[in-house]
Structure formats: structure tokens, C-alpha cells
Amino acid sequence: MDAKDMKPATLAAQAGGVIDVQSGGVVPPIQPSTTFARDRDYEPLNADNIYARDHNDVARQAEAVLAQLEGGTEALLFPSGMAAIAALFRTVPNGGRVVVQSGIYWGTTKWIRDFCERRQIEMTEVEASDIAQLQEACAQAPAQIVWIETPSNPWLRIVDIEAAAEAAHQTGALLVVDSTAATPILSKPFALGADIVMHSTTKAINGHSDVLSGVLVAKETGPVWDEIATDRASAGAVLGPFEAWLLLRGMRTLPLRVNQMCSNAMKVAVFLDDHPQVEEVLYPGLPSHAGHDLACKQMKGGFGFLMSFLVKGGREDALKVAGRLNLFHRATSLGGVESLVEHRYTIEPHTGIPENLLRISIGIEDADDLIADLAQALGQ
Ligand SMILES: *Cc1c(COP(=O)(O)O)cnc(C)c1O
């Protein structure tokens, strides 16, 4: 069966179906060598491998699986999600223009702001979940990149990918989607017109909170993509073979984990939504969520594992709830098999984040245990 005909569960479980010919192993080997030999006529023994900054078999295997899962043509792995984002934005010429969704992952916003200032690039920040605002920003002047993140972290806003792609293309820009909170299992941005998809594979794609990495996937290759690939090989932001191997190993259970996390998250969201100590739940799976209808259209099979909720009262009340949780680890990040809770105001007090907001990432534990933990922490 051709890889493109396989369903995500099959692709992931077999990690691309690679058998190690030398050993017969059904999992890929790790080749730690940084350099690769040539024969006496000075021909490489393996034409694919010269030096580890450009060539790393297991990273290429992981990239092939990621490209297939996302439905793109090529994928490039980086040593972190931020390194992937930086490689993309470095293709914008000095004096260029980018349109970036506001209220997204704070690390992204902060890095792009600093970068654009240094390079005299005009950066327009816009609440892209209100598509009219994005269309207006795109129409103002030509741009090179339109950047959206859906669902957004930590506000869980949903952006209309199809409409965003149309607006981006009209202004001459590529639409790039940070799809970390959706994973390739829940959303297919390429089918809706996106040009490049980015994931922090540190999160659900690896899923075990033990590999830092990021990926860019291209719908089609082209000059910008070639520039990114060249930049990665020359500037050296590559993923090492051990991390790439762990990532590939983590991905084998991606669809299983995401399905379990989504079903747990939906139960937790319904519980929180009904709780007298909770002011509001931000989760696109709830019919009351502003982006629910759109999420139903562009997130097939689940609404994700990430949600935020506002505890009745203020900062102290939210911190007390976080402090009383026993199962949820108080830690940043998301998408791992273990549930996490984070008081975002402590991390980004300057971004207008409510002081009583707790963001939770739901893992694969038993949903009833998670709900019981939240119930005792909220005081029931
Ligand atoms: C974590 C995260 C990033 C950054 O990725 P790193 O792997 O931590 O560098 C970018 N976008 C989103 C939505 C994230 O959650």
C-alpha cells in the first residue's frame, strides 16, 4: 500500500513503514555518526549522507511521516518550535511586512516583535479570529507572511483558515498556520488553503514531554521553502539523531493519544462549565464557545486537549485551585500524556491575560480521576 493511501493511524503506528534492511529491525536504527565515508575514488559510500548537519537518516524518516500525516510534500525538523518559526521569518526581506494574529503563544509574539524591529519589517498584529480584522489588515499593503495559530494558546480562539488563506493570497503572502494545538490528526490546514504548517513537536506530536523539537511542513515547495531548507543546513538548526528517533517513537501512538486526550478534554470541559466556582470555560468543543461552529468544520474528530478556565474570584483564588490539584502537574507546556495546569498570568502578566485564568492540558489519564481532582481543588 502506498503511504498516501494509508490512514493516519496506520502511517503513525508503522512510523512510515521503514524496515532496517541491515538488521531486519522493524524500528529504525540510530546512526550517531556526524560524518560519512567516501571510497578510494572519492565517491560517498552512501550518496544520501555526507555530513550530519545536512543528513540524518532518522530525522528524514520522521520528516517523511510528518509530511504524510499533514498531507504536505516536504517537512523540515528543527531543534525547537521556536527555531522553526525563526527559520521561516528569516525569509522575510528587510523592509518587508508580516501580519500576525494577536493573543497567540507568547514566545512567538515576542520573538517576531523583536525580529521585525531589528530588521525594519512592518508587523501588523490583528485579532484574526475576527476574520474581518484580518482581511482589513491584509488589504492595507502587500505582505510576505500571514501567521495564524488555531486553536490559539491560551485563549482557544478559532481562526477561519480558508478565509485567512484567501486574504493572505490576495496580498501576495503565504498563509502559515501554527497547528500545534490541533495536531495533524484534528485539522488539515492544507486542504483549506494554507501554504506552510508549523508544529511545536515538543507538544502532542512527541507527546511524552521528553523531546524539544519543531517542524515546518510545505504544501508545495518553492523559493521560500528552498530558502528555509538552505538556511537550516547552513545555519545548523538541526535536530540530533537521538531526539529524532524519540520523536518518531512518540509519533507511533499519536492518533491514539490525541483521541483519548480529546475525549477526556470534552468531559472535563463539560464538568468545569457546570461548576459553580468556574466563571467561564474556553474550549472550542463547548457549543457556547464563539468559535464552536467553525471548529466543527475545520477540526474533524475532536476539539483538542487544551483549554483555559476562569476561576471565580481573583488571582489568589486561581492560584489556590492550582495549588490544591494532585494529579495535574503545575508546569508549563502542553500535549503530553500527563495533564498539566498553568497560571498564565504568572508567566505573562503584561499581555492582558486574566489573573484568574488557569490553562490546562489534558493527558491520557482516566477522565473520572481528572474530574475528581478538579472537583476537590475547586471545593465541591
Ligand atoms: C510551545 C509552542 C511553541 C514553541 O515551541 P517550542 O518547541 O517550545 O520552541 C509555538 N507555538 C505553540 C502554539 C506552542 O504551544
Side-chain angles (χ1 to χ4, degrees):
M1 190 187 253
D2 208 40
K4 69 174 182 341
D5 301 322
M6 289 182 205
K7 302 277 192 307
T10 311
L11 266 175
Q14 303 208 349
V18 179
I19 302 270
D20 178 38
V21 258
Q22 213 155 24
S23 68
V26 298
V27 300
I30 303 176
Q31 175 49 267
S33 187
T34 52
T35 189
F36 299 89
R38 291 170 181 268
D39 66 15
R40 291 184 191 280
D41 299 321
Y42 226 71
E43 292 302 321
L45 292 183
N46 177 335
D48 291 335
N49 292 334
I50 306 288
Y51 185 61
R53 179 150 33 72
D54 306 272
H55 307 124
N56 170 346
D57 280 336
V58 68
R60 279 190 289 233
Q61 284 156 8
E63 286 168 347
V65 175
L66 284 161
Q68 287 159 5
L69 284 174
E70 196 59 70
T73 52
E74 271 186 29
L76 288 168
L77 276 169
F78 292 84
S80 69
M82 288 313 303
I85 294 171
L88 170 81
F89 276 88
R90 280 202 293 268
T91 64
V92 179
N94 287 4
R97 176 169 184 257
V98 297
V99 178
V100 177
Q101 183 182 340
S102 57
I104 55 170
Y105 180 73
W106 169 238
T108 306
T109 300
K110 183 176 181 302
W111 187 87
I112 300 174
R113 277 184 193 165
D114 292 350
F115 174 76
C116 289
E117 199 177 303
R118 286 201 304 279
R119 295 269 300 266
Q120 288 90 49
I121 293 167
E122 187 190 335
M123 175 188 185
T124 307
E125 291 186 63
V126 64
E127 181 42 71
S129 64
D130 176 358
I131 199 67
Q133 286 192 39
L134 184 71
Q135 286 160 338
E136 201 186 304
C138 285
Q140 275 165 19
Q144 283 75 42
I145 290 176
V146 172
W147 178 273
I148 61 171
E149 180 185 291
T150 182
S152 69
N153 169 11
W155 288 98
L156 281 303
R157 299 224 165 100
I158 305 292
V159 182
D160 185 334
I161 300 173
E162 200 167 9
E166 205 178 299
H169 296 158
Q170 268 168 16
T171 199
L174 298 177
L175 178 72
V176 188
V177 180
D178 181 340
S179 196
T180 300
T183 79
I185 306 304
L186 304 178
S187 280
K188 291 274 177 268
F190 290 145
L192 300 169
D195 301 287
I196 294 178
V197 170
M198 176 268 165
H199 294 277
S200 166
T201 42
T202 310
K203 312 293 168 56
I205 290 181
N206 178 63
H208 295 74
S209 308
D210 53 11
V211 175
L212 192 71
S213 58
V215 72
L216 296 174
V217 188
K219 184 183 191 182
E220 277 151 29
T221 56
V224 171
W225 188 253
D226 293 345
E227 218 181 301
I228 295 169
T230 307
D231 180 81
R232 187 187 67 162
S234 338
V238 294
L239 193 65
F242 293 93
E243 283 76 11
W245 189 90
L246 270 175
L247 176 62
L248 199 56
R249 142 82 165 256
M251 281 197 285
R252 287 177 176 249
T253 54
L254 174 65
L256 270 182
R257 285 186 281 105
V258 169
N259 289 339
Q260 185 63 36
M261 287 153 83
C262 287
S263 109
N264 282 354
M266 195 64 226
K267 289 179 191 160
V268 167
V270 168
F271 164 79
L272 288 173
D273 200 38
D274 210 30
H275 198 284
Q277 286 310 110
V278 174
E279 192 181 300
E280 197 184 345
V281 181
L282 310 178
Y283 184 64
L286 293 174
S288 56
H289 187 277
H292 179 68
D293 290 346
L294 194 51
C296 287
K297 272 198 277 176
Q298 58 184 41
M299 297 181 79
K300 301 260 160 69
F303 300 97
F305 45 84
L306 189 66
M307 78 184 77
S308 296
F309 65 99
L310 307 183
V311 177
K312 266 196 193 143
R315 181 163 165 229
E316 287 311 312
D317 302 278
L319 281 168
K320 269 190 204 141
V321 171
R324 282 195 291 256
L325 285 164
N326 298 320
L327 287 179
F328 288 77
H329 299 307
R330 283 165 291 279
T332 195
S333 200
L334 49 111
V337 290
E338 66 288 297
S339 295
L340 303 177
V341 60
E342 168 134 285
H343 183 245
R344 282 306 302 174
Y345 183 85
T346 303
I347 312 296
E348 45 170 321
H350 43 278
T351 61
I353 201 87
E355 296 191 26
N356 58 341
L357 180 144
L358 292 179
R359 187 190 74 190
I360 51 178
S361 173
I362 301 296
I364 62 167
E365 301 96 333
D366 187 278
D368 292 340
D369 287 347
L370 294 175
I371 288 171
D373 193 28
L374 285 162
Q376 66 78 22
L378 285 161
Q380 198 180 54

